[in-house]
Amino acid sequence: MDVTSIQGLSLFDNLFTEEKKTTSPANTATFEALLNSAMGMIKETEEYSSQAEQAELEYMLGLNDSVTDLLVAQQKANISLQYTVAVRNAVTQAYQEIMALQF
């Protein structure tokens, strides 16, 4: 009885266990990159909001009489906030769907 083909299966078992070990750090790196991207987006939104507030103050104090600069700063802040909220809603919905899965 030839068992060489059966011994070959143990090589596949090692391959799959090694693949699982190498996949874990990659998933961690991906999650870390996603988290860093989200934090960067939040910081960018805060910067645009503070720039819009600064432009409003300068306009009210008469330091800057360009309405266009004020409106551009406000639009940047508004669009950035809308995008951040949309991403947050998508992540929240994905989390809820994952939690609803039944194993």
Side-chain angles (χ1 to χ4, degrees):
M1 184 164 159
D2 185 23
V3 292
T4 55
S5 62
I6 295 174
Q7 290 174 348
L9 291 177
S10 65
L11 295 174
F12 288 115
D13 291 338
N14 291 338
L15 178 66
F16 291 132
T17 55
E18 289 175 7
E19 183 180 341
K20 289 179 185 176
K21 291 177 185 175
T22 58
T23 305
S24 181
N27 288 340
T28 304
T30 304
F31 179 74
E32 183 179 1
L34 180 67
L35 185 61
N36 288 337
S37 174
M39 295 303 293
M41 186 177 11
I42 291 171
K43 288 179 183 177
E44 185 178 349
T45 301
E46 290 175 355
E47 288 175 13
Y48 283 138
S49 294
S50 66
Q51 289 173 2
E53 289 177 8
Q54 184 66 28
E56 289 172 7
L57 286 174
E58 289 176 0
Y59 185 75
M60 284 189 271
L61 294 173
L63 301 174
N64 188 1
D65 56 348
S66 175
V67 178
T68 307
D69 292 341
L70 174 63
L71 292 176
V72 168
Q74 288 176 336
Q75 279 295 72
K76 282 183 180 179
N78 187 18
I79 291 171
S80 180
L81 180 62
Q82 288 177 357
Y83 182 70
T84 302
V85 169
V87 170
R88 183 211 57 182
N89 290 343
V91 169
T92 303
Q93 183 181 6
Y95 174 77
Q96 289 173 347
E97 289 178 9
I98 289 171
M99 296 308 291
L101 291 176
Q102 296 179 359
F103 294 99

